[in-house]
Every structure is written in C-alpha cells, then in structure tokens.
Amino acid sequence: MSTRERSTANSETSIGDVPPSPEGRPTGRRRIGWIVVALLAAAILVLIVRSGHKKESSAEAAGKGRNAAAARAVPVLVGTARTGDVGVYLTGLGNVVPLATVTARSRVDGQLVRVAFQEGQVVKEGDLLAVIDPRPFEVQLEQAQGQMGKDQATLENAKVDQRRYEVLVQQDSIPRQQLDTQVALVKQLEAAVLSDQAAIDSARLNLAYSRITAPVSGRVGLRLVDPGNIIHATDPNGLVVITQLQPITVVFTIPGDRLPQVMAPLAAGHVLKVDAYDRDLKKKLATGELLAVDNQIDPTTGTVRLKAKFGNADNALFPNQFVNARLLVDTLKKTLIVPAAAIQRSPQATFVYVVGPDDKVAMREVNVLHTEGEDSAVSGQIAAGDKVVVDGVDKLQPGSKVSVGGNARPAKGADAGAAGDGGGGPDGAKAGRAPSP
C-alpha cells in the first residue's frame, strides 16, 4: 500500500463511526439511537401515568360533587294539615234587584209649588216629597160643604112635614097619597145629603193628594219635574223614582245540573246561606239567605235563576250592581284540610309530599274530596298536624332532604276563599310533577 492510500484510510477511520469490536458490540452511533428511543418511551410512559392520575382526580371530584349535591337540602315552604269544616258552594254571576221601584206621581192636576226632598236622599214611607197648589181643592171642599148644609136643612124641613102628615092621615084630614109623596121627598133629600158627603170626601181626598208622599222607603233619584210647572195625573214620567234598598235582593244563575244540590236541602226545610262578593270574588259585600228558585230552567243557557234576600243595612249592595253570589249548599264536617297548593298529580296517583322528623320528604297518596278556594278536603295517608310541601316541589322526589323556609297560610275551614262555579273539587287542585322512579 502506498503512502497516499494509508493516509486516506486513516482519515476515514477517524471521521466515521468507531469500528465494531471484534466481539460484535454496536458502534457509538447505534448506542445514541437506542438512548433516544429509551428516552421517548420513558416520556410516553410518564404522560400515560399523568393522564391516568388526572382522570382519577376528575372522577373523585365528580363523586364528591354528587355526594355534596345529594347532601344539600332543597328549600321549601310547608303548610300544616288540620281538621275542620269545609263549605260546598255554588257560585253564580248575578245583579242586585230592589224589592220595590216606585215612580212617585201626582194624582191630581195642578201647579207644583214645592219640592221637599233632596236628590239622592233616603226617605221613609209617608215622608213629604212635594206639594201641589192646594187652593183649588180647598175651594172645592168648601163648595161641597155648603151644598151639604143646604140639603141637610131641606131634609130637616121635609122630615117635619112628614111627621105632621102622619098625624093628619091618622085623623083622616088629608089623603094618604100626600103622606106617601112626602116620605119619598124625605128619602130623596137623604140621598142628596149622602151625595154631598161624597163630594166633601172627594174634595178632602184631592186636597190630601196635593201633598205627594213617599209610597215606600228607599232612595230617591234625580228630580224629573221642577217647581212651578203644571203637572197632571196622566204625566208619563212622574215626579221622581224611589228605589227600596233595605232589604234588597240579588238574582243570580247556576247551572241546571246543580239544581238538585239546592232543592234537596230546601225540601228538608233548611235555610240556605248566600254571600255576595264583588266581581273579583275577593271582597264579601253582604250575607243573606236564599229567597226563591225559579220554576224553570232556561233552555238557551241551561241555567236556572235564584233570588236571595239581603238586609243591606250598610247599603253595600246597590241596584243593578253586578255581584258574584255564593250559595252554601253543604258543609263537610270535621274533614282533613290541606292547602290546595300541596296537592300534586301524576299519571298513577294524587299525592302530597310530607316532611318527616328527619327533614326528608315522603310521598303520600290522598283522595281529594272537595277544593274550596285555597283549601282542599282530603282523605288518605296523612293525618292532622303533618307538614306538607306547598312550594318547591319541582325539585323533590321521595327521600329528598329539605330545608323548611317557612310556613304557608294555615288551612281554613268553611269560610275559605271564593271558588268557581260549583265550588272547587279535585279538578281545582294544582297539578304537580310526577315523582321520579
């Protein structure tokens, strides 16, 4: 080998990899490659281990969150079940009708010289309302009295002649025909005196009619004739209209199919109570009693009219006023009462949520007997004194822990708030969420 070839070989040997050892071990470049692969594998292993730890931590956190949520109490409001009386009412729209509406009119013709009432005034029967000029009637009375005096004097003279003729007839001094004529004259004059007395009575009556008085007690309306006008007995409008306010009636309607609920207690001799409420069924205006039931059902509406009578001492009811009449037809005695908001419904049952001593709720099935306003009469798996949930039921299921934030309005009895036609009933209860299985 030449000197050039040996130097070239030496240079390649120094620049390249370390030649393998005689025992076949890898060179330096291969060792570096294996080190890189080992490092990559270690890095991948570390990433896998860290990912597993993160997933485990997330699962533990989720489990803790679920446990905390399960332990968290649901805020609710509760009401107390109690025993009491619940009234069954029939409600109908009606209007106030006075027992009497009278137009005060003049019975004689004359000039209206005085009006003795104020418009809108409450008057009593017999109170003076107006005065018609009485002088013409006073003159008529005097004339009738004068004519009667004249006829009475003529009658006395005729009676004296009759007694004289009777003596002469007995003595046979005059013919009997003359006596008979005198007797007839006396009877004629007696009839004239009676006619004169009737004329006097008529004049006195006209004189009394010149003072127009209230025929009934009540409130007078607006004056229809002013003083100074000539009024007549045939005037169509009259002087003023008087409306009787005490007592007063309310005429209202109920569905015809509810009529048996009314007729049964009436046939038993019971007096049915009627309450009059305003249009919003919030304010009670008066309390009265049922007076009469109409004799037929209106075929066009399917309703029957009823009339109730009210004392109306405070004038709370006004003629032609629209009111809601609530007729008490029955009372459920000593029944279990819960707030109507506590009644929940599912496809399987009607139920309430009852709060136990451990502040956990249990579902109890109930049967709604009647709903009146905000109260429901029920029977079932609850007892008086049980706390029932009335607000916050959307988040509940059997066994849920609750936090009672307060008590709802206690259940009331027969004087519960207003209900719709025919009272409440099961359909009037609040629909609730079906419990989770």
Side-chain angles (χ1 to χ4, degrees):
M1 179 181 297
S2 63
T3 303
R4 184 182 300 273
E5 291 175 350
R6 283 197 300 267
S7 58
T8 302
N10 290 335
S11 62
E12 289 176 359
T13 303
S14 61
I15 295 173
D17 293 335
V18 178
S21 63
E23 293 77 13
R25 289 176 298 187
T27 63
R29 181 178 294 177
R30 291 183 179 179
R31 283 198 300 268
I32 293 173
W34 284 110
I35 292 172
V36 171
V37 171
L39 291 175
L40 291 175
I44 292 173
L45 181 61
V46 170
L47 291 175
I48 293 173
V49 172
R50 287 184 178 180
S51 176
H53 283 300
K54 288 183 179 179
K55 290 182 179 179
E56 183 179 355
S57 300
S58 300
E60 290 178 358
K64 291 179 180 179
R66 286 193 296 269
N67 294 335
R72 188 182 302 118
V74 178
V76 296
L77 295 179
V78 299
T80 304
R82 54 157 293 182
T83 301
D85 298 340
V86 175
V88 179
Y89 289 88
L90 299 179
T91 303
L93 180 64
N95 65 307
V96 181
V97 178
L99 281 175
T101 300
V102 180
T103 301
R105 303 176 185 273
S106 173
R107 298 187 180 185
V108 294
D109 300 343
Q111 183 182 21
L112 182 63
V113 296
R114 179 188 172 196
V115 173
F117 65 88
Q118 297 291 332
E119 294 174 320
Q121 175 185 349
V122 176
V123 298
K124 296 182 179 180
E125 182 178 356
D127 287 353
L128 180 65
L129 299 179
V131 176
I132 299 174
D133 187 2
R135 292 173 296 177
F137 310 110
E138 292 172 351
V139 172
Q140 292 177 5
L141 176 59
E142 292 174 356
Q143 290 177 343
Q145 289 174 339
Q147 183 63 39
M148 183 177 180
K150 176 181 177 181
D151 291 340
Q152 283 179 335
T154 305
L155 175 60
E156 291 298 327
N157 183 57
K159 288 182 177 180
V160 171
D161 289 342
Q162 178 182 348
R163 289 193 292 270
R164 185 182 302 114
Y165 291 161
E166 289 174 351
V167 174
L168 293 175
V169 167
Q170 291 176 357
Q171 296 175 357
D172 229 2
S173 299
I174 59 173
R176 187 167 185 83
Q177 180 180 2
Q178 188 174 355
L179 175 60
D180 294 339
T181 301
Q182 190 63 30
V183 171
L185 178 60
V186 169
K187 292 181 179 181
Q188 180 181 354
L189 293 175
E190 289 176 346
V193 171
L194 290 176
S195 178
D196 294 338
Q197 183 62 50
I200 292 174
D201 294 339
S202 177
R204 286 175 176 171
L205 186 60
N206 289 336
L207 184 60
Y209 286 161
S210 66
R211 295 172 56 88
I212 303 175
T213 58
V216 295
S217 299
R219 184 189 299 273
V220 298
L222 303 181
R223 187 175 66 241
L224 303 178
V225 180
D226 296 327
N229 285 285
I230 301 298
I231 60 177
H232 306 275
T234 57
D235 289 342
N237 296 328
L239 179 64
V240 71
V241 177
I242 304 175
T243 303
Q244 184 175 350
L245 299 180
Q246 299 171 347
I248 203 166
T249 64
V250 171
V251 176
F252 62 100
T253 60
I254 62 171
D257 55 0
R258 299 282 186 174
L259 189 57
Q261 293 181 263
V262 180
M263 300 307 296
L266 286 181
H270 297 176
V271 177
L272 300 185
K273 175 184 172 183
V274 181
D275 295 327
Y277 281 78
D278 60 2
R279 286 193 179 188
D280 298 328
L281 271 173
K282 294 181 179 179
K283 181 181 179 182
K284 182 190 290 188
L285 302 177
T287 299
E289 60 184 36
L290 186 64
L291 185 63
V293 179
D294 202 357
N295 59 357
Q296 59 184 347
I297 297 176
D298 188 346
T300 60
T301 61
T303 59
V304 61
R305 297 197 307 166
L306 284 72
K307 178 182 286 188
K309 183 178 179 181
F310 299 83
N312 200 31
D314 57 353
N315 292 324
L317 300 178
F318 205 78
N320 296 328
Q321 176 184 3
F322 284 100
V323 297
N324 284 287
R326 301 183 65 241
L327 173 63
L328 178 63
V329 295
D330 194 11
T331 302
L332 302 179
K333 300 287 187 179
K334 297 181 179 179
T335 185
L336 189 63
I337 305 171
V338 298
I343 304 297
Q344 309 299 317
R345 295 183 182 277
S346 72
Q348 294 78 24
T350 301
F351 63 94
V352 296
Y353 283 115
V354 177
V355 180
D358 56 354
D359 289 339
K360 292 184 178 180
V361 295
M363 187 182 74
R364 304 284 179 81
E365 293 187 5
V366 294
N367 179 31
V368 180
L369 304 176
H370 180 72
T371 297
E372 188 63 44
E374 300 178 1
D375 296 327
S376 292
V378 299
S379 62
Q381 302 173 357
I382 62 173
D386 286 347
K387 302 292 185 180
V388 295
V389 179
V390 298
D391 191 17
V393 296
D394 295 340
K395 301 178 181 179
L396 295 181
Q397 54 183 315
S400 298
K401 189 174 182 63
V402 296
S403 173
V404 178
N407 292 332
R409 180 189 62 83
K412 298 188 295 183
D415 294 334
D421 185 18
D427 295 337
K430 178 182 177 182
R433 180 179 63 86
S436 299

